[in-house]
């Protein structure tokens, strides 16, 4: 697959990693929100870029925008409407600079905490195709990879949120992502479209089993 951001830079007939992520994310959304009562949010993370204006892939120079000071590209709060998630995926899922992995985890944690009742089962899926390169303010380890692990473990221990992690492609830091999986969450490796879809489907099915049980008990 091609890792370039723009189609024009990819060899003819090559599939971009980004397109694989978009396709798999949509299928994950469909499976997860196919269970009555489930809600889902989404977070796109990068890192604070240099002080320059940038352009979305395919956009014009007049559409340039400021980089992301909090490292969050976009997000959606919890919703049961798959179209809301699809719109975010279509409009904002893109490749940017480096990766503040702990920033993405902390944003997703806040969305889960603020958008759901304390008794509800909460699960997070963290997918990365690279390494953690940026530290989080307040975590204090001084190391981007350790900050990502600390953020995930804190999410599990202090907020009872299950964290699943997915290493996508050969450039992904599997060791860090594996150390981030906790609270009955699992680590997965995916190298292509079929792998990523299968991994996402497995995670969604596992979440659905738990949420179905919760609904049955509540009923």
């Amino acid at each position: 697959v091609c890792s370039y951001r723009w189609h024009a830079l990819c060899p003819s007939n090559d599939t971009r990693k980004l397109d694989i992520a978009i396709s798999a994310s949509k299928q994950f959304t469909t499976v997860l929100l196919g269970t009555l009562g489930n809600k889902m949010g989404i977070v796109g993370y990068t890192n604070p870029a240099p002080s320059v204006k940038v352009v979305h892939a395919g956009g014009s120079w007049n559409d340039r925008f400021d980089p992301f000071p909090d490292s969050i590209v976009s997000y959606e709060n919890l919703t049961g409407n798959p179209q809301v998630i699809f719109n975010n995926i279509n409009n904002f899922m893109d490749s940017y600079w480096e990766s503040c992995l702990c920033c993405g985890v902390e944003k997703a944690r806040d969305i889960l905490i603020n958008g759901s009742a304390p008794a509800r089962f909460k699960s997070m899926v963290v997918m990365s195709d690279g390494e953690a390169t940026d530290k989080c303010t307040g975590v204090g380890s001084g190391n981007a990879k350790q900050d990502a692990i600390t953020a995930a473990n804190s999410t599990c221990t202090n907020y009872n949120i299950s964290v699943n992690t997915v290493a996508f492609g050969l450039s992904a830091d599997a060791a860090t992502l594996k150390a981030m999986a906790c609270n009955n969450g699992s680590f997965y490796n995916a190298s292509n479209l079929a792998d990523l879809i299968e991994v996402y489907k497995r995670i969604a099915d596992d979440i659905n089993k738990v949420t179905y049980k919760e609904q049955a008990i509540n009923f």
Side-chain angles (χ1 to χ4, degrees), residues 114-196:
N114 296 328
S116 55
R120 287 301 301 263
F121 172 75
K122 304 174 189 64
S123 182
M124 181 188 305
V125 181
V126 183
M127 188 273 278
S128 174
D129 71 339
E131 296 185 355
T133 59
D134 281 70
K135 303 180 289 293
C136 274
T137 303
V139 175
S141 74
N143 179 280
K145 294 181 180 182
Q146 186 55 51
D147 278 2
I149 295 170
T150 300
N153 290 339
S154 172
T155 295
C156 291
T157 303
N158 298 330
Y159 301 96
N160 195 28
I161 296 172
S162 174
V163 176
N164 298 276
T165 57
V166 181
F168 178 39
L170 298 178
S171 299
D173 182 1
T176 297
L177 290 164
K178 191 171 185 178
M180 292 171 64
C182 52
N183 197 17
N184 294 319
S186 299
F187 163 76
Y188 300 89
N189 240 319
S191 59
N192 55 40
L193 177 60
D195 286 348
L196 193 58

Side-chain angles (χ1 to χ4, degrees), residues 1-16:
V1 296
C2 179
S3 297
Y4 285 117
R5 182 178 180 188
W6 291 283
H7 284 289
L9 297 177
C10 290
S12 178
N13 298 323
D14 266 19
T15 301
R16 294 189 307 166

Side-chain angles (χ1 to χ4, degrees), residues 44-180:
Y45 61 92
T46 177
N47 73 323
S51 302
V52 295
K53 294 209 179 265
V54 295
V55 181
H56 277 300
S60 71
W61 182 248
N62 292 329
D63 295 329
R64 62 190 187 279
F65 60 97
D66 291 322
F68 315 103
D70 61 355
S71 300
I72 302 302
V73 174
S74 66
Y75 70 91
E76 291 290 344
N77 289 318
L78 297 181
T79 177
N81 185 349
Q83 194 57 52
V84 173
I85 304 298
F86 289 159
N87 289 342
N88 185 286
I89 292 170
N90 289 333
N91 292 323
F92 296 105
M93 187 172 282
D94 208 337
S95 54
Y96 292 93
W97 298 278
E98 296 181 339
S99 171
C100 183
L101 192 50
C102 55
C103 298
V105 170
E106 291 184 341
K107 183 64 177 180
R109 178 199 66 201
D110 292 344
I111 288 174
L112 285 166
I113 294 170
N114 296 328
S116 55
R120 287 301 301 263
F121 172 75
K122 304 174 189 64
S123 182
M124 181 188 305
V125 181
V126 183
M127 188 273 278
S128 174
D129 71 339
E131 296 185 355
T133 59
D134 281 70
K135 303 180 289 293
C136 274
T137 303
V139 175
S141 74
N143 179 280
K145 294 181 180 182
Q146 186 55 51
D147 278 2
I149 295 170
T150 300
N153 290 339
S154 172
T155 295
C156 291
T157 303
N158 298 330
Y159 301 96
N160 195 28
I161 296 172
S162 174
V163 176
N164 298 276
T165 57
V166 181
F168 178 39
L170 298 178
S171 299
D173 182 1
T176 297
L177 290 164
K178 191 171 185 178
M180 292 171 64

